[in-house]
Amino acid sequence: MLRFGPAAGPVVVAALPLFEEANRTRAFAVTILRALAGHGIAGLLPDLPGQGESLVPTHETDLDMLRTAFAAAAMPAGDRPVFTFAIRSGALVDTQARVDAHYHLSPVTGADLRRELIRTRQASAREAGETFDPAGIDTATGPVELAGNLIAPRLMAQLATATPSETVARTVRLETEARPADAKLPGSPLWRRAEPDNDLAFAERVADDVAAWIATCAA
């Protein structure tokens, strides 16, 4: 994992979104954690099973494994308050973490993510002149290729009913998003980009909001 900030005080553990969106938002998440360090808040960015430098192949991970691994990474040490910071489908991963509170940036449900993966696969199949039947996902006995990733059928089944934690959570979204939120900020939907990118001004705004929220939680 990557570690930032002081050895005392609050800690924020980041959960990247699943699959390709993790690559697109990693630099953005790191920028936020570095900015939080400037506020005196420590940060952790763990590589969960199937992500980053993990030795577990993507098609061997599932939601239970991801949640257990994240909860272990976010295990409180001493009396330091611990918070999560989850981007998009990362909000499906932090649900079992024993932390003080959750901060979710543009969270999605598992059903949302599942639909997006299927739509992307359908589009690529049309471009290649191939046939693709989404119903085959539910009967598959081996990994299914969706949006450039091999995904276990078990994980796809789990996504159908997975939702973010609603326990002591702050939800923040982009100004352009119609869904309700505790606050909305101007910024770029980096998870939609074709390649990894960053938005330094947006990252600074998010970090400022996280820091102000943590101060409120600690009050």
Side-chain angles (χ1 to χ4, degrees):
M1 65 174 69
L2 297 178
R3 303 168 69 96
F4 306 89
V11 181
V12 169
V13 186
L16 295 177
L18 301 177
F19 311 124
E20 189 57 34
E21 288 189 7
N23 298 326
R24 297 171 187 157
T25 58
R26 186 178 180 86
F28 175 62
V30 168
T31 301
I32 291 170
L33 294 178
R34 290 189 186 281
L36 286 174
H39 287 279
I41 298 170
L44 302 178
L45 178 58
D47 279 341
L48 302 180
Q51 286 187 341
E53 299 299 319
S54 167
L55 299 180
V56 178
T58 302
H59 66 271
E60 291 184 7
T61 192
D62 63 23
L63 205 50
D64 292 336
M65 185 183 297
L66 291 165
R67 286 172 169 172
T68 299
F70 186 85
M75 188 69 68
D79 59 356
R80 300 183 71 177
V82 180
F83 304 87
T84 69
F85 168 70
I87 302 173
R88 294 273 289 168
S89 57
L92 304 175
V93 171
D94 72 353
T95 58
Q96 294 179 3
R98 298 173 58 188
V99 296
D100 290 72
H102 305 268
Y103 186 106
H104 294 160
L105 178 62
S106 297
V108 296
T109 66
D112 291 332
L113 176 58
R114 182 182 162 104
R115 282 191 293 269
E116 289 181 12
L117 291 170
I118 291 174
R119 282 198 299 266
T120 302
R121 180 68 178 88
Q122 288 173 320
S124 63
R126 283 195 298 269
E127 291 179 4
E130 302 172 350
T131 58
F132 171 70
D133 181 6
I137 294 173
D138 298 321
T139 58
T141 57
V144 180
E145 184 176 355
L146 296 170
N149 295 278
L150 286 175
I151 305 173
R154 173 175 169 77
L155 176 52
M156 289 299 293
Q158 291 170 328
L159 289 177
T161 57
T163 57
S165 172
E166 296 181 355
T167 304
V168 195
R170 176 172 174 80
T171 298
V172 175
R173 297 187 182 277
L174 293 170
E175 287 182 335
T176 52
E177 293 183 69
R179 292 183 178 182
D182 296 307
K184 295 193 175 183
L185 301 174
S188 308
L190 299 170
W191 43 88
R192 300 293 188 193
R193 300 279 176 88
E195 299 291 338
D197 204 349
N198 207 347
D199 183 332
L200 300 181
F202 183 28
E204 192 68 36
R205 284 190 287 270
V206 172
D208 289 345
D209 189 67
V210 173
W213 169 71
I214 287 177
T216 301
C217 292

